[in-house]
Amino acid sequence: MTFRALALRNITSNWHRYSAYFLSCTFSVTIFFLYISYMYHPGLVQIQSQLGEIGQGIIVTCSILIFGISFFFVLYSSSGFISSRQKEVGLFSLFGMSKWQLRLMFVYENLLIAIASIAVGIGTGTILLKLFLMSMSYYMILESPLPFYFPIDAAIFTAVAYMALFGLITLWTLRKVGKKELVELIRSEKGNDQKLRFSWLLGISSIVSLVYSYYLAWHTHVEHLGSRMFPIFVLAIAGTYFLYTQFSVLIVRVLKLNRSWYYNGTNLLNISRAAHRVKENARVLFNISILVAVVLTSSASVYALDRSMHQHSRASHSFAFSMLKVHDKPFLLTIDQVKTVAEQYQHQITAVEELEIIEATSNSIYGRTGAVSLIRQSDLNRLLTTIGRQTLEPLDEDVYWFDQRVNELFQGGNRINPGTIEIQLEGLKQSLNLTINQKIDDTLIPSRYASGDVLALPDLQWEQLYNQVSPKLISKVIMVDWTNWEQSYWLVKELERLADAPNSYYMTSRITDNYEVQQTSSLGFFIGIFISLMFFVASGSIIYFKMFNDLQEDKSYYQSLIRIGLSIQEIKRVVNVQIGIIFFLPCIIGSLHTMFAMKTLSNIMNVDAMSYGFTIVLIFIVMQSLYFLASRRAYLRVILQGIAR
Amino acid sequence: MTTVLKVEQITKIYASRGKMTYTALNDVNMQLEQGEFVGIMGPSGSGKTTLLNILATIDKPTAGRISINGHNPLKMSNRDLSKFRRRELGYVFQDFNLIDSLSIKENMILPLALDKVSSSEIERRVQFIAERLGIENILDKRTYEISGGQKQRTAIARAVIHEPSLLLADELTGNLDSRAAKSAMDALEQLNTELGTTVLVVTHDPFTASYCKRILFIKDGKLFTEIRRGSSRPAFFQQILDTLSLLGGNFDDIPSTRLT
Ligand SMILES: Nc1ncnc2c1ncn2[C@@H]1O[C@H](COP(=O)(O)OP(=O)(O)O)[C@@H](O)[C@H]1O
Ligand SMILES: [Mg+2]
């Protein structure tokens, strides 16, 4: 048999081991290629140049991060892979294979895997790219949809980068292969069963510091963010570490005290073995927990920001499109013009509302002078009917107060919630005291055209003021709603062109008002999800390798259990617990960290980050469960191989 | 005297990948009474492990009948079978198969824990068995802290703690030096005489076999002959050597426990 044939044979006959390694490499190539070809897509390069320095910086950082992650990921996969084959290497050399032949075999193997995974990775990436560009164009409302292209440059770049990466890893492998003594390689890797030591102090303090860091995170507001950030991180990280190395043993020690429970059925096996597993793999579990926490927190944050941007633009405009008229400046377009263009663009006008506003000032809300807008209660009710809300009882004397600031992302300053508001009007000597009947948190008029606080006065009172004040204080807003506002970007652009007033203050729409912010946050969201996906695959594969590393040892363990008299069902249950711990323990700890980080984010910003965080965590747990089920299947298949059932 | 094990016309045929078949056991009959100490010897490849695996109910014969303490394991469902294994059978392996994450005591009580025996009863049995096997001082140690002989005695303790009707052992001295082998066999003999445990050991080692009261020789899957021990062990030892040379075949390998 030639050498090349041996290397090839080695791969084909040990497929299940190679396949994990091959798949992780392919995954890594796919993601990297996808990222590169989409970041350097000609259409996107243009957008990026508009992003400004911070945006550019983010993209560069992410590129480096993604390559760094792929690098370490492939490195880790290969080291796990190599160590799972130590014994085989030992046997080969025992049977007289020279060191150089052995190395040559590894070179062939790695070359084969490298070429295959690069080819398959780029192939898969190209298919995904098409899907990706389509969804991306839709999501980001690009000026023109991103055309599909085969990114030759990106393909070459990916191939070269990964060839270099595999080359480095092969060299590193070769160094390792040559180094160890034969006996060390052949001797089974057992014997590291150190006694489970722990300290009560560290074990208990791990829980205390975790709980305390959670407590701090829960109660952190903008004011103490700076001073608390560091202690929270340190406490959480240290707590997590000692949770695995100390607390796990402690809890097992405590559980063992309850003899009748501990000596009951498979508990004996599960508990003692779990303690060993956790302690032995403490560092890996710790790393994965932190990885999971970082990934989930960042993806939940970008998701929360992106969604709240969306919500903000929805809430800050109760109508799709609005125009403003002040005393010396008429509307930019007539309502008929708007209608005609809208129909051209296949949007049906569903509502048109006009409304007059008196601008006043007041000290009562902020303790310093701020603007308030006065409208008529009959106008208010008409508006409420149009947008489908409950109308309000017309009042004889009192007023309704609409707090329009609730939808803003950052809520500025401390507010007073007075029962009466004193307002001043330019041209009117006396100030006016208005009694609040009800305060409503909602946005009715685009915040550009009305101040944050809108007061709805009884019609009679409002009309009196209207006749008294200077006409400069009076403005008129026209608000239009049409179907399919999410797709109306081009319609608004056309209206702006028609009025010859691009980016005009006097014309605004829900879709254009937040366009740039939204695009940036969408980009952030996409990149964030990308990186998270990579981390997910990385952490999953680390677990997978860990699991299959111990496979042979585990196999004899389970087979002796069967002879002792465990049924297949009981074996499956024991396997569930053992694998489940490795898969879900770090996942749960990381998710907990994330939820508390999201609580802090909710405190700092006007975003319901907790529920977005929960969504992300849920998705993660579902994906992790799928990973778990697949691994468990593969694992059980090997474990139960050749067992008469 | 009650019959613990009755094997009638057991045949085991392995079908290998081609159309080739291999008859590992051919029409084997045997019977064990309560309290017997029986050995099975034969050259490697003669079907000893195959036979023991069938008796341990982890493999099934192609044809034949088995009755263990009045039960027919061949008619049992999977679930009943594992319950049956852990109530009626004890198994000692060549490579001990102790569980590293458990202490010596926890290893011993595993069959009882699986059967949900109360913890006070468990403590009582541990004390009883550990004293007899001389391992009461190492109960709290871990598997890597004790010698091979101690490991095998722990494995024996685990195999008898639930008072099985039949104790099976496959090459239990195969991994032990002669001193440790002696200590393990002494322990087994003591259990057999004091508790009346029925023992069936498979071995290729004449010294180990010399502890038995009766030895069945097996060759090419068939029972070849049977010898019984008189009063003296040295004489029996010589008798075993003579029978083996009559039997021929290869005894130099170190057979390992296999499941299949
Ligand atoms: N799973 C199997 N498939 C095919 N042949 C087998 C299988 N297991 C054992 N054999 C064959 O059956 C014969 C008896 O094996 P075994 O019972 O292990 O012998 P012993 O334990 O006496 O050395 C051997 O020739 C062996 O090759
Ligand atoms: Mg054998």
Side-chain angles (χ1 to χ4, degrees):
Chain A
M1 185 159 37
T2 65
F3 231 78
R4 240 164 303 157
L6 179 68
L8 197 67
R9 172 74 72 88
N10 222 359
I11 294 181
T12 48
S13 57
N14 282 321
W15 181 239
H16 90 93
R17 249 180 356 201
Y18 285 87
S19 68
Y21 180 49
F22 169 74
L23 281 182
S24 359
C25 292
T26 307
F27 253 128
S28 172
V29 173
T30 307
I31 301 259
F32 183 74
F33 170 71
L34 208 53
Y35 181 77
I36 293 291
S37 50
Y38 133 79
M39 269 353 284
Y40 296 100
H41 189 287
L44 269 163
V45 168
Q46 240 175 7
I47 299 175
Q48 286 172 31
S49 59
Q50 298 159 8
L51 281 181
E53 247 170 64
I54 299 178
Q56 299 267 353
I58 292 176
I59 287 175
V60 172
T61 316
C62 288
S63 307
I64 295 172
L65 208 61
I66 288 194
F67 194 69
I69 297 166
S70 340
F71 180 84
F72 281 106
F73 173 56
V74 174
L75 197 69
Y76 190 91
S77 309
S78 94
S79 83
F81 178 60
I82 296 292
S83 71
S84 77
R85 302 183 49 206
Q86 284 204 353
K87 197 160 179 181
E88 179 188 332
V89 168
L91 287 178
F92 273 135
S93 26
L94 192 65
F95 297 138
M97 200 183 268
S98 77
K99 241 171 217 178
W100 285 108
Q101 282 175 313
L102 213 53
R103 288 178 176 167
L104 200 63
M105 192 181 81
F106 270 94
V107 170
Y108 278 135
E109 267 181 32
N110 274 338
L111 201 67
L112 209 73
I113 292 184
I115 291 172
S117 61
I118 288 173
V120 176
I122 290 179
T124 323
T126 311
I127 297 167
L128 289 178
L129 184 66
K130 169 85 183 143
L131 286 172
F132 203 71
L133 290 175
M134 271 161 37
S135 59
M136 184 77 196
S137 312
Y138 176 80
Y139 197 79
M140 279 182 63
I141 322 168
L142 296 177
E143 302 268 339
S144 55
L146 292 169
F148 175 72
Y149 77 123
F150 180 72
I152 296 189
D153 290 346
I156 292 174
F157 183 55
T158 308
V160 170
Y162 270 85
M163 262 331 229
L165 181 57
F166 281 116
L168 275 175
I169 286 169
T170 309
L171 282 181
W172 178 79
T173 311
L174 293 186
R175 226 201 53 198
K176 230 183 154 185
V177 167
K179 236 177 166 181
K180 285 219 172 162
E181 285 304 317
L182 200 57
V183 261
E184 270 178 83
L185 291 174
I186 302 173
R187 196 184 296 145
S188 59
E189 308 91 69
K190 265 190 181 178
N192 52 352
D193 335 61
Q194 72 278 57
K195 203 164 193 135
L196 294 184
R197 279 179 226 289
F198 76 104
S199 108
W200 284 94
L201 184 71
L202 284 175
I204 291 169
S205 63
S206 78
I207 283 296
V208 172
S209 57
L210 264 188
V211 170
Y212 188 56
S213 76
Y214 284 168
Y215 171 82
L216 284 182
W218 191 268
H219 294 286
T220 295
H221 293 266
V222 183
E223 309 86 85
H224 14 72
L225 185 64
S227 62
R228 280 202 183 164
M229 197 89 137
F230 187 68
I232 290 177
F233 273 126
V234 170
L235 283 175
I237 288 175
T240 310
Y241 185 75
F242 290 120
L243 187 76
Y244 288 121
T245 56
Q246 308 290 326
F247 186 72
S248 58
V249 188
L250 187 151
I251 195 107
V252 166
R253 193 61 71 87
V254 171
L255 284 177
K256 278 186 185 177
L257 289 182
N258 183 352
R259 280 292 150 96
S260 53
W261 180 81
Y262 180 53
Y263 286 173
N264 190 344
T266 46
N267 287 349
L268 183 64
L269 289 171
N270 284 337
I271 294 301
S272 65
R273 186 111 164 134
H276 270 77
R277 280 225 144 181
V278 169
K279 177 92 182 179
E280 266 169 33
N281 299 323
R283 204 152 305 153
V284 173
L285 291 176
F286 165 73
N287 283 336
I288 294 174
S289 306
I290 299 299
L291 204 72
V292 166
V294 169
V295 168
L296 290 185
T297 304
S298 47
S299 44
S301 305
V302 291
Y303 180 53
L305 283 180
D306 185 52
R307 286 292 85 193
S308 62
M309 287 292 177
H310 196 75
Q311 247 175 28
H312 169 66
S313 60
R314 180 85 186 76
S316 62
H317 291 261
S318 49
F319 286 78
F321 175 75
S322 320
M323 289 187 293
L324 179 71
K325 172 185 146 188
V326 287
H327 79 287
D328 56 351
K329 207 157 161 54
F331 286 126
L332 288 171
L333 295 172
T334 65
I335 190 66
D336 286 334
Q337 283 175 302
V338 174
K339 262 190 185 143
T340 321
V341 179
E343 267 154 31
Q344 271 171 19
Y345 278 80
Q346 264 111 38
H347 291 273
Q348 254 54 54
I349 303 276
T350 54
V352 178
E353 284 299 339
E354 287 188 36
L355 177 87
E356 280 180 307
I357 302 169
I358 306 174
E359 284 304 326
T361 57
S362 169
N363 291 325
S364 314
I365 301 173
Y366 293 101
R368 58 181 159 75
T369 310
V372 291
S373 307
L374 311 181
I375 60 170
R376 277 202 305 195
Q377 283 178 2
S378 58
D379 282 340
L380 168 71
N381 272 334
R382 226 185 43 245
L383 218 64
L384 288 174
T385 317
T386 313
I387 58 176
R389 303 228 179 125
Q390 192 73 43
T391 55
L392 296 161
E393 192 71 23
L395 304 169
D396 290 336
E397 286 186 351
D398 298 349
V399 303
Y400 292 112
W401 175 15
F402 274 79
D403 183 352
Q404 302 215 101
R405 254 164 250 270
V406 287
N407 291 312
E408 285 176 17
L409 211 49
F410 292 92
Q411 294 191 318
N414 283 337
R415 300 159 61 86
I416 309 160
N417 281 338
T420 59
I421 294 181
E422 186 187 355
I423 59 165
Q424 292 83 34
L425 286 147
E426 205 183 311
L428 227 68
K429 295 253 166 44
Q430 266 179 319
S431 55
L432 219 66
N433 270 318
L434 302 173
T435 311
I436 307 300
N437 177 280
Q438 196 184 342
K439 176 170 176 278
I440 296 139
D441 292 342
D442 206 351
T443 302
L444 292 175
I445 308 167
S447 48
R448 278 194 200 198
Y449 298 159
S451 57
D453 300 285
V454 174
L455 300 178
L457 273 54
D459 286 15
L460 223 60
Q461 191 183 16
W462 188 86
E463 271 147 28
Q464 272 174 6
L465 289 175
Y466 185 80
N467 293 329
Q468 286 171 355
V469 298
S470 128
K472 270 198 292 186
L473 294 187
I474 294 165
S475 57
K476 188 170 185 178
V477 180
I478 187 164
M479 296 187 282
V480 179
D481 232 354
W482 52 51
T483 50
N484 265 340
W485 71 271
E486 285 101 335
Q487 268 91 50
S488 64
Y489 182 77
W490 304 110
L491 164 56
V492 178
K493 284 285 162 202
E494 176 62 15
L495 290 173
E496 285 178 353
R497 200 189 59 76
L498 206 66
D500 196 18
N503 303 321
S504 166
Y505 176 77
Y506 297 97
M507 190 185 264
T508 183
S509 78
R510 198 186 277 154
I511 188 88
T512 53
D513 203 15
N514 298 294
Y515 183 63
E516 269 109 55
V517 195
Q518 239 194 44
Q519 253 198 353
T520 315
S521 89
S522 296
L523 195 63
F525 174 67
F526 262 75
I527 295 176
I529 294 305
F530 230 114
I531 297 184
S532 308
L533 221 60
M534 263 196 80
F535 268 114
F536 172 72
V537 172
S539 75
S541 308
I542 290 173
I543 296 173
Y544 189 85
F545 281 120
K546 198 84 210 144
M547 208 169 91
F548 279 88
N549 246 349
D550 308 334
L551 193 63
Q552 282 316 314
E553 198 180 320
D554 289 358
K555 191 172 173 176
S556 69
Y557 167 73
Y558 287 113
Q559 296 198 339
S560 43
L561 288 184
I562 285 184
R563 292 201 182 186
I564 289 167
L566 255 75
S567 63
I568 302 285
Q569 278 72 26
E570 281 167 326
I571 291 280
K572 282 184 179 167
R573 236 179 296 142
V574 173
V575 166
N576 276 351
V577 173
Q578 298 313 320
I579 300 184
I581 282 174
I582 302 283
F583 266 91
F584 290 111
L585 199 61
C587 166
I588 288 168
I589 302 283
S591 300
L592 260 178
H593 288 2
T594 304
M595 288 316 289
F596 283 93
M598 288 298 107
K599 172 64 183 161
T600 311
L601 192 64
S602 301
N603 293 345
I604 295 171
M605 292 170 88
N606 182 25
V607 172
D608 183 16
M610 290 284 274
S611 65
Y612 293 118
F614 190 68
T615 311
I616 293 283
V617 163
L618 215 63
I619 292 174
F620 174 71
I621 290 184
V622 167
M623 293 199 331
Q624 188 78 354
S625 307
L626 292 180
Y627 219 143
F628 164 74
L629 288 177
S631 313
R632 193 187 77 117
R633 239 181 80 120
Y635 187 80
L636 275 176
R637 208 176 38 222
V638 178
I639 292 291
L640 297 178
Q641 217 169 40
I643 287 173
R645 271 177 257 182
Chain B
M1 210 174 233
T2 51
T3 302
V4 171
L5 173 71
K6 189 165 185 163
V7 171
E8 290 173 290
Q9 296 170 320
I10 287 282
T11 298
K12 176 73 183 180
I13 299 172
Y14 286 117
S16 41
R17 235 184 286 174
K19 288 267 151 57
M20 302 273 288
T21 57
Y22 182 85
T23 309
L25 289 177
N26 191 356
D27 193 24
V28 173
N29 294 286
M30 61 192 276
Q31 188 162 332
L32 258 70
E33 305 300 329
Q34 165 82 49
E36 273 202 292
F37 195 141
V38 176
I40 294 181
M41 294 195 80
S44 65
S46 57
K48 304 183 296 291
T49 299
T50 305
L51 177 61
L52 207 68
N53 282 348
I54 288 173
L55 299 183
T57 71
I58 49 186
D59 200 357
K60 287 196 159 74
T62 315
R65 285 178 301 282
I66 303 173
S67 153
I68 299 175
N69 211 15
H71 303 283
N72 181 356
L74 299 180
K75 287 231 172 80
M76 287 183 191
S77 71
N78 256 326
R79 185 176 296 253
D80 292 339
L81 208 53
S82 51
K83 202 171 280 168
F84 174 77
R85 267 203 291 274
R86 71 180 178 227
R87 297 224 170 119
E88 304 287 339
L89 299 178
Y91 203 112
V92 183
F93 309 84
Q94 176 178 354
D95 44 6
F96 322 127
N97 276 316
L98 297 179
I99 290 156
D100 295 329
S101 56
L102 298 176
S103 71
I104 299 308
K105 176 176 166 188
E106 288 165 353
N107 262 292
M108 278 173 64
I109 67 171
L110 199 54
L112 298 180
L114 290 174
D115 231 17
K116 316 212 164 170
V117 174
S118 76
S119 62
S120 56
E121 172 69 6
I122 287 181
E123 296 293 346
R124 202 184 60 72
R125 297 242 203 129
V126 165
Q127 229 29 63
F128 183 74
I129 297 291
E131 255 170 50
R132 259 156 201 75
L133 291 178
I135 51 175
E136 67 265 45
N137 294 327
I138 54 167
L139 286 180
D140 288 325
K141 294 220 159 139
R142 307 301 300 267
T143 53
Y144 50 89
E145 293 174 305
I146 63 175
S147 71
Q150 289 173 321
K151 277 185 190 168
Q152 199 55 297
R153 272 182 286 157
T154 305
I156 292 171
R158 180 178 65 187
V160 298
I161 195 162
H162 53 299
E163 294 168 5
S165 29
L166 180 61
L167 177 68
L168 302 168
D170 191 5
E171 303 286 2
L172 82 162
T173 54
N175 274 358
L176 300 177
D177 57 38
S178 56
R179 220 172 62 110
K182 185 172 172 339
S183 94
M185 291 315 290
D186 284 339
L188 213 53
E189 188 171 48
Q190 191 184 1
L191 288 176
N192 174 251
T193 48
E194 287 183 13
L195 307 181
T197 313
T198 313
V199 181
L200 180 63
V201 297
V202 158
T203 182
H204 73 286
D205 173 32
F207 172 74
T208 304
S210 69
Y211 277 84
C212 303
K213 306 274 167 48
R214 176 158 72 103
I215 298 177
L216 303 170
F217 290 86
I218 181 171
K219 186 182 183 182
D220 298 334
K222 275 188 176 160
L223 280 188
F224 178 75
T225 183
E226 177 184 318
I227 58 175
R228 278 176 193 272
R229 177 168 141 186
S231 49
S232 102
R233 207 159 80 206
F236 192 46
F237 185 69
Q238 193 51 51
Q239 200 183 349
I240 293 170
L241 290 181
D242 294 343
T243 317
L244 287 180
S245 64
L246 204 67
L247 201 63
N250 173 23
F251 278 90
D252 297 335
D253 67 328
I254 301 174
S256 64
T257 38
R258 246 181 308 123
L259 264 176
T260 49

